[in-house]
Amino acid sequence: ERPQGQTEIERLQMSFVLTTAQYSAFKTFVKTTLVQGTSHFMMDVPIEGWACENRRVYIEKQSPTVKPVGASWRVSFTLCVLPAA
């Protein structure tokens, strides 16, 4: 029997403090562009050291979490990063 391939997904813990306007834009992005957070999108992510690379990513289920921080909002989520093509 042939072994099944596995895609190695890197998980990054992301956290941003957003203004109310930025948080509103983020919610719209997740709801409409990402179809309730289920779609993949491209984003620059940190890779070894200080470099960044544009990768296909998605927001892991059960996130994001949102907490008020003064007049702003802390949005935290797990970003799943797919391997480079």
Side-chain angles (χ1 to χ4, degrees):
E1 186 174 321
R2 192 172 128 181
Q4 298 295 316
Q6 281 188 297
T7 301
E8 193 169 316
I9 297 173
E10 181 179 359
R11 286 174 170 76
L12 300 175
Q13 299 303 314
M14 307 296 284
S15 186
F16 300 96
V17 175
L18 305 176
T19 65
T20 298
Q22 290 170 324
Y23 176 51
S24 179
F26 177 79
K27 286 192 306 184
T28 300
F29 173 71
V30 171
K31 182 178 180 180
T32 58
T33 305
L34 299 184
V35 191
Q36 300 295 345
T38 60
S39 296
H40 294 180
F41 59 101
M42 300 301 289
M43 179 177 168
D44 286 342
V45 295
I47 56 172
E48 299 175 24
W50 295 96
C52 285
E53 191 172 281
N54 196 258
R55 293 278 187 88
R56 183 170 300 282
V57 299
Y58 63 93
I59 297 172
E60 190 170 63
K61 290 181 184 179
Q62 315 306 338
S63 63
T65 59
V66 180
K67 295 181 180 175
V69 178
S72 301
W73 302 92
R74 179 176 305 281
V75 178
S76 303
F77 55 89
T78 301
L79 188 69
C80 298
V81 182
L82 298 170

